Amino acid sequence: MKRLLSLTVAILAGLLIMVLLLYGVIGLPVKTPQDVILAPREKSLANAAEESTNRPLILFVGTSLTARVPWYKNVEADLRSCAPNVSTERLAKSGASLRWGYPELERRLAREPKPDVVVMEFNGNDAVLHVGLPLFMSKSWTRDAVKLIRQHGAVVYLSTMNPGWGSEALPRLGQKRYHENYREIAQEDGVGLIDTAVVWSNLSPERRRVLVPDNGHPTIEGMEEISLPYIVSALKPLICAGH
């Protein structure tokens, strides 16, 4: 009986270690991020250049961080100072990982008007143990999504957004490694990156409680203060070229 119990404990411990490895909770140390923004390989907007109306469209795709408050319209307003015809759209769902995002993105890209830029954030929910994707699968699916977007002529930016804290961090203990996934894909595949997770992580606890009162979802004021300046700065070279 003792041998059976010991064997059961060893098997369960092995399974736990495997799950922790698959979801990035344990493993090699996470690299310290450098630049918040990495420019994409593409230097022009293929779709917008072909349109006589020159109305570039930015599609924001992601989780509750994109779905809950309409901050993407603030990005549109800021960019209209140099590109009056720019428009924005979002495709997002609370609790969604790339399991939901990939087929929805595929359906959206099959319709007109085609987006010229796609800003995608799913890594926060990909890291969630019960609804997400193992680390290697998240990276593979993200690369597939990047290929799909590029096949439809759009420029891709991966966005890390804010991490979760407290109760929001518990189901996504490996979230830093999922953030690193986006940086690795950006560097290896020439994809744009907006890595504001590092900026959010540097907030004082007092300021964080004001801007992210539930430890997971920033207020519109929080997005305007922290993420939007970087998002606008990243997109301006593409959207405002020639203006």
Side-chain angles (χ1 to χ4, degrees), residues 4 10 12-13 17 27-29 47 56 78 80 85 89 97 99 123 133 148 160 186 211 219 225 236 239:
L4 179 60
L12 291 175
I17 291 172
L28 296 173
N47 289 345
D78 283 353
R80 282 190 171 179
N85 292 328
E89 180 185 328
S97 69
R99 289 182 190 275
N123 61 336
L133 295 164
L148 176 69
T160 61
L211 300 181
T219 61
E225 179 177 328
K236 263 189 175 179
I239 300 301

mmCIF file of all heavy atoms in Angstrom, residues 4 10 12-13 17 27-29 47 56 78 80 85 89 97 99 123 133 148 160 186 211 219 225 236 239:
data_model
loop_
_atom_site.group_PDB
_atom_site.id
_atom_site.type_symbol
_atom_site.label_atom_id
_atom_site.label_comp_id
_atom_site.label_asym_id
_atom_site.label_seq_id
_atom_site.Cartn_x
_atom_site.Cartn_y
_atom_site.Cartn_z
ATOM 1 N N LEU A 4 2.344 1.823 -3.373
ATOM 2 C CA LEU A 4 1.321 2.346 -4.292
ATOM 3 C C LEU A 4 1.078 3.823 -4.027
ATOM 4 O O LEU A 4 0.965 4.624 -4.957
ATOM 5 C CB LEU A 4 0.029 1.553 -4.129
ATOM 6 C CG LEU A 4 -1.156 1.994 -5.005
ATOM 7 C CD1 LEU A 4 -0.784 1.880 -6.484
ATOM 8 C CD2 LEU A 4 -2.389 1.157 -4.698
ATOM 9 N N ALA A 10 4.244 10.339 -6.659
ATOM 10 C CA ALA A 10 5.288 10.657 -7.636
ATOM 11 C C ALA A 10 4.690 10.988 -9.000
ATOM 12 O O ALA A 10 5.124 11.929 -9.673
ATOM 13 C CB ALA A 10 6.256 9.486 -7.755
ATOM 14 N N LEU A 12 1.589 12.109 -9.585
ATOM 15 C CA LEU A 12 0.888 13.394 -9.492
ATOM 16 C C LEU A 12 1.868 14.561 -9.477
ATOM 17 O O LEU A 12 1.629 15.598 -10.104
ATOM 18 C CB LEU A 12 0.012 13.419 -8.240
ATOM 19 C CG LEU A 12 -1.203 12.485 -8.241
ATOM 20 C CD1 LEU A 12 -1.918 12.518 -6.898
ATOM 21 C CD2 LEU A 12 -2.169 12.873 -9.359
ATOM 22 N N ALA A 13 2.996 14.362 -8.756
ATOM 23 C CA ALA A 13 4.013 15.416 -8.726
ATOM 24 C C ALA A 13 4.606 15.639 -10.110
ATOM 25 O O ALA A 13 4.836 16.779 -10.532
ATOM 26 C CB ALA A 13 5.108 15.047 -7.721
ATOM 27 N N ILE A 17 4.423 19.104 -12.286
ATOM 28 C CA ILE A 17 5.618 19.746 -12.845
ATOM 29 C C ILE A 17 5.467 19.934 -14.350
ATOM 30 O O ILE A 17 5.835 20.979 -14.905
ATOM 31 C CB ILE A 17 6.874 18.920 -12.510
ATOM 32 C CG1 ILE A 17 7.172 18.998 -11.015
ATOM 33 C CG2 ILE A 17 8.088 19.410 -13.316
ATOM 34 C CD1 ILE A 17 8.261 18.066 -10.552
ATOM 35 N N GLY A 27 10.761 27.241 -15.218
ATOM 36 C CA GLY A 27 11.586 27.127 -16.422
ATOM 37 C C GLY A 27 12.749 28.090 -16.362
ATOM 38 O O GLY A 27 13.127 28.577 -15.294
ATOM 39 N N LEU A 28 13.298 28.391 -17.516
ATOM 40 C CA LEU A 28 14.439 29.304 -17.587
ATOM 41 C C LEU A 28 14.028 30.709 -17.157
ATOM 42 O O LEU A 28 12.868 31.097 -17.295
ATOM 43 C CB LEU A 28 14.994 29.341 -19.015
ATOM 44 C CG LEU A 28 15.580 28.028 -19.547
ATOM 45 C CD1 LEU A 28 15.929 28.174 -21.007
ATOM 46 C CD2 LEU A 28 16.801 27.621 -18.729
ATOM 47 N N PRO A 29 14.957 31.501 -16.632
ATOM 48 C CA PRO A 29 14.629 32.863 -16.209
ATOM 49 C C PRO A 29 14.090 33.693 -17.381
ATOM 50 O O PRO A 29 14.523 33.548 -18.522
ATOM 51 C CB PRO A 29 15.976 33.416 -15.723
ATOM 52 C CG PRO A 29 16.802 32.216 -15.424
ATOM 53 C CD PRO A 29 16.365 31.155 -16.376
ATOM 54 N N ASN A 47 -2.778 47.833 -48.109
ATOM 55 C CA ASN A 47 -4.196 48.026 -48.409
ATOM 56 C C ASN A 47 -4.537 49.497 -48.594
ATOM 57 O O ASN A 47 -5.212 49.883 -49.546
ATOM 58 C CB ASN A 47 -5.064 47.450 -47.284
ATOM 59 C CG ASN A 47 -5.035 45.939 -47.247
ATOM 60 O OD1 ASN A 47 -4.602 45.298 -48.199
ATOM 61 N ND2 ASN A 47 -5.494 45.368 -46.144
ATOM 62 N N PRO A 56 -7.246 54.320 -43.937
ATOM 63 C CA PRO A 56 -6.656 53.195 -43.215
ATOM 64 C C PRO A 56 -7.531 52.740 -42.050
ATOM 65 O O PRO A 56 -8.103 53.559 -41.327
ATOM 66 C CB PRO A 56 -5.316 53.747 -42.723
ATOM 67 C CG PRO A 56 -5.466 55.224 -42.751
ATOM 68 C CD PRO A 56 -6.404 55.530 -43.861
ATOM 69 N N ASP A 78 -6.662 60.406 -31.499
ATOM 70 C CA ASP A 78 -5.289 60.934 -31.481
ATOM 71 C C ASP A 78 -4.654 60.864 -32.865
ATOM 72 O O ASP A 78 -3.960 61.799 -33.301
ATOM 73 C CB ASP A 78 -4.432 60.139 -30.493
ATOM 74 C CG ASP A 78 -4.713 60.525 -29.048
ATOM 75 O OD1 ASP A 78 -5.465 61.496 -28.832
ATOM 76 O OD2 ASP A 78 -4.198 59.845 -28.148
ATOM 77 N N ARG A 80 -6.114 60.919 -35.722
ATOM 78 C CA ARG A 80 -6.779 61.779 -36.703
ATOM 79 C C ARG A 80 -6.167 63.175 -36.762
ATOM 80 O O ARG A 80 -6.451 63.923 -37.694
ATOM 81 C CB ARG A 80 -8.274 61.853 -36.416
ATOM 82 C CG ARG A 80 -9.015 60.613 -36.889
ATOM 83 C CD ARG A 80 -10.507 60.737 -36.838
ATOM 84 N NE ARG A 80 -11.133 59.597 -37.508
ATOM 85 C CZ ARG A 80 -12.438 59.411 -37.606
ATOM 86 N NH1 ARG A 80 -13.272 60.303 -37.078
ATOM 87 N NH2 ARG A 80 -12.918 58.351 -38.224
ATOM 88 N N ASN A 85 -8.619 60.510 -41.972
ATOM 89 C CA ASN A 85 -9.517 59.455 -42.455
ATOM 90 C C ASN A 85 -9.326 58.106 -41.768
ATOM 91 O O ASN A 85 -9.984 57.131 -42.124
ATOM 92 C CB ASN A 85 -9.329 59.266 -43.965
ATOM 93 C CG ASN A 85 -9.827 60.454 -44.752
ATOM 94 O OD1 ASN A 85 -10.787 61.120 -44.355
ATOM 95 N ND2 ASN A 85 -9.169 60.747 -45.869
ATOM 96 N N GLU A 89 -11.571 49.669 -35.268
ATOM 97 C CA GLU A 89 -12.598 48.657 -35.037
ATOM 98 C C GLU A 89 -12.036 47.682 -34.016
ATOM 99 O O GLU A 89 -10.814 47.512 -33.918
ATOM 100 C CB GLU A 89 -12.901 47.931 -36.360
ATOM 101 C CG GLU A 89 -13.952 46.841 -36.291
ATOM 102 C CD GLU A 89 -14.084 46.115 -37.632
ATOM 103 O OE1 GLU A 89 -13.873 46.750 -38.694
ATOM 104 O OE2 GLU A 89 -14.380 44.897 -37.610
ATOM 105 N N SER A 97 -9.251 33.514 -25.128
ATOM 106 C CA SER A 97 -7.853 33.250 -25.468
ATOM 107 C C SER A 97 -7.771 33.145 -26.984
ATOM 108 O O SER A 97 -8.766 33.373 -27.688
ATOM 109 C CB SER A 97 -7.364 31.950 -24.816
ATOM 110 O OG SER A 97 -8.004 30.826 -25.415
ATOM 111 N N ARG A 99 -7.771 30.557 -28.585
ATOM 112 C CA ARG A 99 -8.698 29.497 -29.021
ATOM 113 C C ARG A 99 -9.934 30.119 -29.665
ATOM 114 O O ARG A 99 -10.440 29.621 -30.657
ATOM 115 C CB ARG A 99 -9.131 28.632 -27.831
ATOM 116 C CG ARG A 99 -8.075 27.727 -27.255
ATOM 117 C CD ARG A 99 -8.659 26.894 -26.124
ATOM 118 N NE ARG A 99 -7.635 26.178 -25.395
ATOM 119 C CZ ARG A 99 -7.141 25.000 -25.756
ATOM 120 N NH1 ARG A 99 -7.607 24.408 -26.847
ATOM 121 N NH2 ARG A 99 -6.209 24.408 -25.033
ATOM 122 N N ASN A 123 -2.149 37.098 -25.123
ATOM 123 C CA ASN A 123 -1.222 36.323 -24.303
ATOM 124 C C ASN A 123 -1.601 36.295 -22.826
ATOM 125 O O ASN A 123 -1.310 35.323 -22.129
ATOM 126 C CB ASN A 123 0.220 36.823 -24.489
ATOM 127 C CG ASN A 123 0.401 38.270 -24.087
ATOM 128 O OD1 ASN A 123 -0.537 39.046 -24.081
ATOM 129 N ND2 ASN A 123 1.618 38.642 -23.767
ATOM 130 N N LEU A 133 -3.787 28.309 -23.334
ATOM 131 C CA LEU A 133 -3.018 27.398 -24.180
ATOM 132 C C LEU A 133 -1.644 27.184 -23.565
ATOM 133 O O LEU A 133 -1.061 28.119 -23.024
ATOM 134 C CB LEU A 133 -2.834 28.004 -25.582
ATOM 135 C CG LEU A 133 -4.079 28.204 -26.438
ATOM 136 C CD1 LEU A 133 -3.772 29.161 -27.584
ATOM 137 C CD2 LEU A 133 -4.577 26.885 -26.981
ATOM 138 N N LEU A 148 -1.625 34.584 -41.035
ATOM 139 C CA LEU A 148 -2.958 34.821 -41.589
ATOM 140 C C LEU A 148 -3.192 36.305 -41.844
ATOM 141 O O LEU A 148 -3.668 36.699 -42.915
ATOM 142 C CB LEU A 148 -4.012 34.276 -40.616
ATOM 143 C CG LEU A 148 -5.470 34.518 -40.981
ATOM 144 C CD1 LEU A 148 -5.871 33.710 -42.211
ATOM 145 C CD2 LEU A 148 -6.384 34.166 -39.806
ATOM 146 N N THR A 160 1.271 43.451 -25.339
ATOM 147 C CA THR A 160 1.216 42.685 -24.093
ATOM 148 C C THR A 160 0.186 43.217 -23.100
ATOM 149 O O THR A 160 -0.254 42.482 -22.223
ATOM 150 C CB THR A 160 2.585 42.666 -23.394
ATOM 151 O OG1 THR A 160 2.975 43.992 -23.058
ATOM 152 C CG2 THR A 160 3.628 41.996 -24.268
ATOM 153 N N ALA A 186 8.154 38.838 -32.211
ATOM 154 C CA ALA A 186 8.418 40.127 -32.856
ATOM 155 C C ALA A 186 9.851 40.195 -33.377
ATOM 156 O O ALA A 186 10.101 40.621 -34.514
ATOM 157 C CB ALA A 186 8.158 41.264 -31.868
ATOM 158 N N LEU A 211 -5.490 53.008 -10.979
ATOM 159 C CA LEU A 211 -5.648 52.788 -12.417
ATOM 160 C C LEU A 211 -6.191 51.400 -12.752
ATOM 161 O O LEU A 211 -6.796 51.212 -13.813
ATOM 162 C CB LEU A 211 -4.301 52.998 -13.126
ATOM 163 C CG LEU A 211 -3.671 54.388 -12.977
ATOM 164 C CD1 LEU A 211 -2.369 54.458 -13.749
ATOM 165 C CD2 LEU A 211 -4.631 55.480 -13.435
ATOM 166 N N THR A 219 -8.914 51.113 -15.840
ATOM 167 C CA THR A 219 -9.947 52.079 -16.179
ATOM 168 C C THR A 219 -9.570 52.759 -17.492
ATOM 169 O O THR A 219 -8.430 52.642 -17.962
ATOM 170 C CB THR A 219 -10.070 53.140 -15.080
ATOM 171 O OG1 THR A 219 -8.808 53.827 -14.979
ATOM 172 C CG2 THR A 219 -10.401 52.505 -13.738
ATOM 173 N N GLU A 225 -3.451 56.964 -19.646
ATOM 174 C CA GLU A 225 -2.198 57.392 -19.024
ATOM 175 C C GLU A 225 -1.025 56.486 -19.390
ATOM 176 O O GLU A 225 0.075 56.979 -19.669
ATOM 177 C CB GLU A 225 -2.356 57.425 -17.505
ATOM 178 C CG GLU A 225 -1.088 57.846 -16.765
ATOM 179 C CD GLU A 225 -1.281 57.940 -15.270
ATOM 180 O OE1 GLU A 225 -2.397 58.271 -14.827
ATOM 181 O OE2 GLU A 225 -0.310 57.670 -14.529
ATOM 182 N N LYS A 236 1.807 55.641 -35.357
ATOM 183 C CA LYS A 236 1.962 56.877 -36.122
ATOM 184 C C LYS A 236 2.859 56.755 -37.356
ATOM 185 O O LYS A 236 2.515 57.280 -38.420
ATOM 186 C CB LYS A 236 2.461 58.003 -35.219
ATOM 187 C CG LYS A 236 1.350 58.894 -34.700
ATOM 188 C CD LYS A 236 1.896 60.115 -33.985
ATOM 189 C CE LYS A 236 0.730 61.029 -33.590
ATOM 190 N NZ LYS A 236 1.216 62.232 -32.864
ATOM 191 N N ILE A 239 0.529 54.989 -39.949
ATOM 192 C CA ILE A 239 -0.746 55.630 -40.253
ATOM 193 C C ILE A 239 -0.554 57.050 -40.774
ATOM 194 O O ILE A 239 -1.291 57.507 -41.659
ATOM 195 C CB ILE A 239 -1.644 55.645 -38.996
ATOM 196 C CG1 ILE A 239 -1.917 54.222 -38.519
ATOM 197 C CG2 ILE A 239 -2.958 56.378 -39.281
ATOM 198 C CD1 ILE A 239 -2.609 53.334 -39.541
#
